[in-house]
Every structure is written in structure tokens, then in C-alpha cells.
Amino acid sequence: MTYYDQHLHTHHSYDSQADFTDYLDNSTGFVVTTEHFDVANPVTGQTDVPDYWAYSAEIEQLNIQYGNRILKGIEIGYYQPKEAEILAYLADKTYDLKLLSVHHNGEFDYLDDFVADMDFDTTFSRYLDELSVAIDQNGKLQAHVLAHFDYGIRLFDVTPEALDKHESKLIEIFQKMIAADLAFEINAKSTHLYHHLPLYTYALKMVLELGGTLFTLGSDGHKLEHYELAFDELKTWLKAQGVHQLVTFQGGTRHFVTI
Ligand SMILES: [Zn+2]
Ligand SMILES: [Zn+2]
């Protein structure tokens, strides 16, 4: 089996217009989408939640046409004050793939323009604290993947040395991620559109040294142009870092794929 994108959005996410068929017609194997679930989203001023029943109905219909190629997923935007709402939504739903993310802190989304003018260390420190709390709840959330560890600093153009100051917190986060069986995501949008590949090289080395074995590759695509963005290049890069297997998720089972 060839590896397939583990982070993808369609019109079931508040910020995407893509259709399943955009991806299906341009690939041959499985397609899994991970739709945004962002409670109390400061970007839109509301809770953005996929309509699970509409999502499931569309997938069911397309799976007849496309030979069961579509899998279900969600990207949980964790926000601690609304944890009860998150858990209530997830309680009666099943997914092949659940990503765990932190996008906002109730006040702002970390991709809001003005974040770029904020102090790097203060911003990263705050974001890592929020990420740490999110991982602590994974016993309840049951996510499979820790998405874009660098989301909080995507707007900062920094070298890996800037992360040194936060090394102990990163180690603690990655240790907890590994203990929670969360895979570490290589986010192609971060590496190639926000130019954070050197930060991923730094973090991946750390995760490997801590004994991490679960890795995913996701484009975080919201449109066809970003589907499996730079995957060939990233697979070569992964092998150079000593990672030869990536993981996918299907019906509660992990599958390892040699790259
Ligand atoms: Zn995200
Ligand atoms: Zn996403």
C-alpha cells in the first residue's frame, strides 16, 4: 500500500470549499478527511462543528461510487474551557482518524495576523502550555495524532536555535505524546508553506531520541493544490532522519507503511 495523506479538509470544514471528488479523482487509494471541530472559534465567533450526519451520508454515497475508498476523520481543536462540549460531541461518533490540535486560546487564533508581531518566547510558551493540557486529556479524547506541533508559531520566521529555550517543555510534551500513543505529525503546510522544515528536523530528532515510533505525514490541505504537498520530498527527508515507516489509521487499527 502506498501512503496516503493523513490531514485533509473538505467543505465539511468551515474554511474549505473542497469536495471529496477533488481528492478521489486525483488519487487511487484511500482518502481520509480530518474536518475542523473548533469550539468557541475566535476566527468565526462561533463553534465550528462538522455536521456528522451530512458528512457520513455524503461518504456513504460516494463510497458506493468509489469502491469504499473514503475514511472518516476529524481534527479536534482542543480548548480546555469547552472540554465538556468537545467530549459530548465526540461521544456518539466513530472515526478512522482523530487529530488533536490547538488552534486558539479563546482570545485569538495563532494564525491571526497580529500574532506575527507578538513576542516569540511568550507566544510559544503559552501555546506549549495549552498543547500540554490538550495531550493530558487524550485518555478521554482518544485522538491518534498530535497535529502540527508548531501551529502556535507558524507566523514566526525562526531558526531551530529559537526552540532551545523551550527544550524542556518540548521534551515533556513529546514524552507525554509518546506515552499517550499519539503519532507525531509531519505537517507539510508547516514545512513547505510556512518554511518550518528545520524546526521539524529539530523536533523529529527529539521525538526519535525519546523513543517515538509513530509518525504521520499530512498536507493539511484545504484544496486540491495542497493535497499530498511535497510528499516525495518529505519521504526522502524522513528516511534521511532515520524514519522508514509511517502509520495510517483505519477502523481503530494502525497500519504501518514502509516509505
Ligand atoms: Zn489544524
Ligand atoms: Zn487541518
Side-chain angles (χ1 to χ4, degrees):
M1 184 171 66
T2 49
Y3 196 71
Y4 57 98
D5 203 326
Q6 298 292 298
H7 190 155
L8 206 53
H9 298 272
T10 69
H11 65 94
H12 291 281
S13 294
Y14 75 93
D15 58 354
S16 170
Q17 301 299 319
D19 283 315
F20 289 105
T21 52
D22 298 341
Y23 307 125
L24 287 164
D25 291 339
N26 288 281
S27 62
T28 52
F30 285 119
V31 167
V32 63
T33 72
T34 50
E35 310 294 352
H36 277 300
F37 174 26
D38 283 292
V39 281
N41 188 358
V43 177
T44 58
Q46 62 179 31
T47 285
D48 291 299
V49 54
D51 180 338
Y52 183 78
W53 311 111
Y55 178 67
S56 299
E58 192 177 352
I59 288 177
E60 201 175 314
Q61 187 62 39
L62 285 166
N63 267 339
I64 296 168
Q65 271 172 266
Y66 284 86
N68 294 319
R69 288 175 52 204
I70 314 169
L71 303 173
K72 284 182 199 168
I74 190 163
E75 179 175 7
I76 305 163
Y78 186 79
Y79 173 50
Q80 205 276 328
K82 295 286 182 187
E83 185 187 288
E85 196 178 324
I86 296 170
L87 294 174
Y89 176 82
L90 295 173
D92 62 347
K93 303 180 179 67
T94 55
Y95 297 97
D96 293 286
L97 173 60
K98 287 156 85 171
L99 309 184
L100 179 59
S101 298
V102 169
H103 293 127
H104 73 78
N105 48 37
E107 291 165 46
F108 59 84
D109 187 288
Y110 285 92
L111 282 187
D112 282 341
D113 290 342
F114 61 82
V115 174
D117 300 321
M118 288 168 48
D119 176 65
F120 172 80
D121 288 317
T122 312
T123 308
F124 197 33
S125 181
R126 176 176 183 174
Y127 172 74
L128 290 179
D129 285 343
E130 290 156 3
L131 202 56
S132 184
V133 170
I135 296 169
D136 286 339
Q137 312 313 316
N138 204 45
K140 291 178 267 183
L141 298 164
Q142 295 283 302
H144 305 100
V145 177
L146 179 68
H148 44 43
F149 87 99
D150 65 322
Y151 187 88
I153 52 166
R154 264 187 177 172
L155 297 183
F156 292 89
D157 181 15
V158 292
T159 59
E161 289 70 46
L163 304 190
D164 279 340
K165 215 171 175 175
H166 304 272
E167 191 187 9
S168 60
K169 205 176 273 181
L170 282 168
I171 288 174
E172 185 196 317
I173 282 174
F174 293 148
Q175 278 172 335
K176 290 199 294 187
M177 173 190 80
I178 293 164
D181 271 339
L182 280 161
F184 180 72
E185 179 193 73
I186 310 304
N187 185 291
K189 185 175 269 184
S190 287
T191 59
H192 279 69
L193 300 182
Y194 291 94
H195 312 294
H196 277 184
L197 188 62
L199 305 190
Y200 274 81
T201 305
Y202 178 99
L204 180 59
K205 185 168 179 280
M206 212 178 244
V207 174
L208 286 167
E209 282 171 4
L210 293 169
T213 54
L214 305 175
F215 302 97
T216 65
L217 193 47
S219 69
D220 205 351
H222 287 61
K223 52 186 174 181
L224 178 61
E225 293 99 292
H226 294 161
Y227 174 62
E228 301 201 339
L229 180 73
F231 269 26
D232 288 342
E233 194 188 318
L234 283 167
K235 284 178 194 170
T236 304
W237 168 81
L238 276 162
K239 286 185 265 190
Q241 314 301 311
V243 175
H244 299 274
Q245 276 192 330
L246 293 172
V247 64
T248 65
F249 301 86
Q250 198 187 331
T253 309
R254 283 199 294 250
H255 296 275
F256 289 91
V257 181
T258 302
I259 53 170

